[in-house]
Amino acid sequence: MKKYISLSLALIFSLCFLMFGVNADSPNIIDNADLLSEDEEIALAKEIDPVKSRYDFEIVILTESSIYGEDPEAYADDYFDYNGYGENGVLFLVDMGERNWHIST
């Protein structure tokens, strides 16, 4: 199951790279739900870094075990806004507690 989630994350962010285009010292991969292996995190970071540099655009992957019933859109928007990511970017949230996700731009 983890393998499919990892592949899905990579596919979604590859599409986001094509659709959007990337500034902060905050981490770009926050795997609080522990869905990704260390190798997968490194591979995703290698995909994210050149896009950030080229387009001055943040790309963030956030996994959570639970967001405790909070609205995924509000959670993703607030996480991006209050964690030093700047003004331009995209955040992909995966909430394993409610089996939900959201892409915030």
Side-chain angles (χ1 to χ4, degrees):
M1 182 65 161
K2 279 185 169 185
K3 182 177 181 179
Y4 296 112
I5 291 171
S6 300
L7 291 172
S8 296
L9 288 172
L11 176 61
I12 288 170
F13 270 91
S14 294
L15 292 172
C16 287
F17 295 155
L18 295 172
M19 290 179 359
F20 300 102
V22 187
N23 239 15
D25 294 327
S26 299
N28 295 98
I29 302 169
I30 306 94
D31 186 21
N32 293 332
D34 199 28
L35 299 177
L36 304 169
S37 71
E38 187 174 332
D39 289 340
E40 291 168 328
E41 287 187 35
I42 291 168
L44 283 171
K46 286 180 182 178
E47 295 287 330
I48 290 171
D49 289 341
V51 176
K52 283 180 58 175
S53 297
R54 183 172 182 188
Y55 295 103
D56 192 28
F57 186 87
E58 282 300 322
I59 298 172
V60 182
I61 300 171
L62 172 63
T63 70
E64 295 286 6
S65 297
S66 177
I67 60 171
Y68 305 101
E70 197 169 329
D71 176 60
E73 180 179 4
Y75 190 92
D77 289 348
D78 288 347
Y79 194 95
F80 190 91
D81 291 343
Y82 299 119
N83 285 284
Y85 290 105
E87 294 185 24
N88 298 315
V90 60
L91 182 141
F92 177 55
L93 167 69
V94 176
D95 169 22
M96 295 303 293
E98 297 294 321
R99 309 294 283 179
N100 224 336
W101 62 273
H102 184 76
I103 296 174
S104 178
T105 60

